[in-house]
């Protein structure tokens, strides 16, 4: 353990946000976000209905310098005040990951600072700690655009996969169904907005994997059913009803699996350390948050979600993951690779991959 205050510059470039942040972590674990700057590329990708990797990588190259400079200025610190640099090293679009990681390496080399090559998913895993104190261990539902997993988190770098999606991620389901409803990218927030005016009970949607006793998720059947219904809709009121039904179905599946995971987790932990955390972009969805909070309460778990601003991709969570690693005396060499795929529980991903591994390696 290094009993010193960590002041870390975090860099995030794994998808369509160029982000930089400065986070301070006291030796007692208290966290302060000194700055968090996010430059969204939504306007550049929107005409294509999704993220175009080459456009993303180029935009990161063009803005990373200014964004990092602004994060330092907003925080009122200079390079000399930093104790480390943390950059997302994967998983994500590798052209973008390389931009932030190379920038981080350059800062580390020039200023003689330790580098932490952060797993983006570990960033999400610690993101709830940016708003509240959450001790380890905890049960985590990670729901983002690329991942949908239940994990037992014993500490930084110590995650056990309990269950994962067998097809789409929850955010991916939101995005794809939003597209069939004619909503703009990114679909999740747009679908949530439309659903506010809808009646979730008008359309019957399939309940996925009902009867399965494990903690797997699946959204492909829901996606197909919603697309079929969407084709026959003509009014905005009907589309709002379908949006509400889809949102309710996704929230119900997340709640049902989380409930089962909580029961097993409580038994394994002898009824102690009952903490439930939800993180990732989909944790920004109010219906999802409310359903999960109700389940946690009924099971006697504390419930924590990150502040809304830290649910979707940001660099504060990357800086914090870096600070926690540095506090444990862990850093990475300057030749740390950018990794398109990088499961949190690498042993489980290797033994039982949820997707065909392919040339990039196992996804989750
Ligand atoms: O964590 P994140 O920003 O990026 C990844 O690491 O994937 O998650 C982005 C995902 C997208 O699929 C987006 O549509 C979804 O989170 N999302 C939402 C909401 N806000 C973001 N889904 C439903 N409701 C929202 N309010
Ligand atoms: Zn993310």
């Amino acid at each position: 353990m290094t009993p010193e205050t960590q002041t870390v510059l975090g860099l995030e470039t794994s998808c369509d946000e160029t982000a930089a942040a400065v986070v301070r972590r006291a030796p007692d674990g208290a966290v302060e976000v000194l700055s968090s700057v996010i430059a969204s590329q939504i306007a550049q990708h929107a005409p294509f209905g999704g993220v175009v990797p080459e456009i993303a990588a180029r935009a990161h190259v063009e803005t990373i310098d200014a964004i990092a400079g602004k994060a330092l200025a907003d925080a009122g610190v200079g390079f000399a005040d930093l104790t480390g640099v943390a950059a997302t090293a994967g998983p994500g679009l590798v052209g973008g990951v390389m931009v932030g990681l190379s920038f981080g390496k350059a800062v580390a080399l020039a200023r003689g600072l330790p580098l932490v090559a952060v797993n983006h998913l570990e960033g999400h895993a610690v993101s709830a700690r940016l708003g509240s104190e959450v001790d380890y261990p905890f049960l985590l539902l990670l729901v983002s655009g690329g991942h949908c997993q239940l994990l037992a988190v014993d500490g930084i770098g110590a995650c056990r996969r309990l269950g994962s999606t067998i097809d789409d991620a929850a955010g991916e389901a939101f995005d794809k169904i939003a597209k069939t409803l004619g909503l703009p990218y990114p679909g999740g927030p747009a679908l949530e907005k439309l659903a506010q005016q809808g009646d979730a009970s008008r359309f019957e949607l399939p309940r996925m994997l009902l009867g399965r006793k494990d903690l797997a998720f699946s959204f492909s059947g829901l996606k197909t059913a919603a697309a079929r219904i969407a084709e026959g809709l003509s009014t905005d009121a009907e589309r709002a009803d379908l949006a509400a039904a889809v949102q309710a179905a996704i929230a119900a599946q997340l709640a049902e699996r989380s409930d089962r995971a909580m029961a097993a987790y409580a038994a394994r932990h002898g009824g102690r350390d009952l903490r439930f955390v939800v993180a990732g972009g989909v944790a920004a969805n109010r219906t999802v948050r409310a359903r999960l909070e109700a389940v946690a309460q009924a099971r006697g778990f504390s419930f924590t979600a990150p502040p809304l601003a830290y649910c979707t991709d940001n660099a504060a969570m990357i800086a914090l993951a870096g600070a926690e690693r540095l506090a444990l005396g862990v850093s990475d060499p300057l030749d740390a690779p950018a990794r398109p795929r990088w499961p949190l529980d690498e042993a489980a991903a290797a033994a039982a991959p949820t997707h065909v591994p392919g040339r990039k390696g196992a996804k989750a």
Side-chain angles (χ1 to χ4, degrees), residues 339-350:
R339 300 175 61 172
R341 291 201 170 172
W342 188 0
L344 268 181
D345 183 345
E346 298 198 73

Side-chain angles (χ1 to χ4, degrees), residues 106-135:
V107 173
L109 186 63
R111 308 299 309 200
L113 292 168
L115 170 81
V116 186
V118 174
N119 183 320
H120 179 85
L121 304 175
E122 188 166 287
H124 280 301
V126 302
S127 62
R129 299 155 78 87
L130 291 165
S132 351
E133 278 180 32
V134 192
D135 288 334

Side-chain angles (χ1 to χ4, degrees), residues 12 14-15 17 91 120-121 124 142-147 280-281 311-314 317:
E12 159 58 38
S14 68
C15 192
E17 266 104 19
H120 179 85
L121 304 175
H124 280 301
L142 175 55
V143 272
S144 68
H147 292 82
C311 287
T312 45
D313 289 347
N314 65 86
M317 67 183 194

Side-chain angles (χ1 to χ4, degrees), residues 145-341:
H147 292 82
C148 183
Q149 298 190 324
L150 279 155
L151 297 145
V153 183
D154 290 334
I156 200 98
C159 290
R160 209 157 31 82
R161 187 187 79 191
L162 305 175
S164 191
T165 183
I166 56 171
D167 41 60
D168 289 341
E172 204 174 356
F174 267 111
D175 292 340
K176 288 178 177 171
I177 296 172
K179 215 170 180 175
T180 65
L181 280 165
L183 296 170
Y185 153 87
L191 192 145
E192 177 173 24
K193 196 155 166 250
L194 181 62
Q196 276 165 8
Q197 302 136 38
D199 169 6
S201 66
R202 179 192 304 209
F203 296 108
E204 189 93 26
L205 289 167
R207 292 197 55 198
M208 305 299 296
L209 304 184
L210 206 65
R212 234 175 113 141
K213 292 283 170 275
D214 62 12
L215 296 173
F217 298 85
S218 169
F219 298 101
S220 68
L222 178 67
K223 191 177 63 184
T224 310
R228 206 173 317 116
I229 295 172
E231 272 171 26
L233 302 186
S234 47
T235 69
D236 285 344
E238 286 173 329
R239 272 190 282 275
D241 291 343
L242 181 56
V246 164
Q247 179 174 261
I250 294 175
Q253 187 181 147
L254 297 177
E256 197 225 314
R257 297 299 189 284
S258 298
D259 180 57
R260 205 181 301 158
M262 282 182 218
Y265 187 94
R268 192 183 163 110
H269 285 254
R272 286 182 303 276
D273 299 325
L274 303 186
R275 304 180 193 95
F276 180 77
V277 173
V278 60
V282 178
N285 184 283
R286 286 167 185 81
T287 301
V288 168
R289 279 168 99 107
R291 280 296 300 260
L292 293 170
E293 184 164 14
V295 169
Q297 204 167 23
R299 285 277 177 201
F301 277 62
S302 66
F303 173 83
T304 316
L308 281 182
Y310 302 129
C311 287
T312 45
D313 289 347
N314 65 86
M317 67 183 194
I318 304 303
L320 178 57
E324 290 196 19
R325 284 194 168 251
L326 289 172
L328 293 170
V330 177
S331 64
D332 293 285
L334 286 179
D335 63 353
R339 300 175 61 172
R341 291 201 170 172

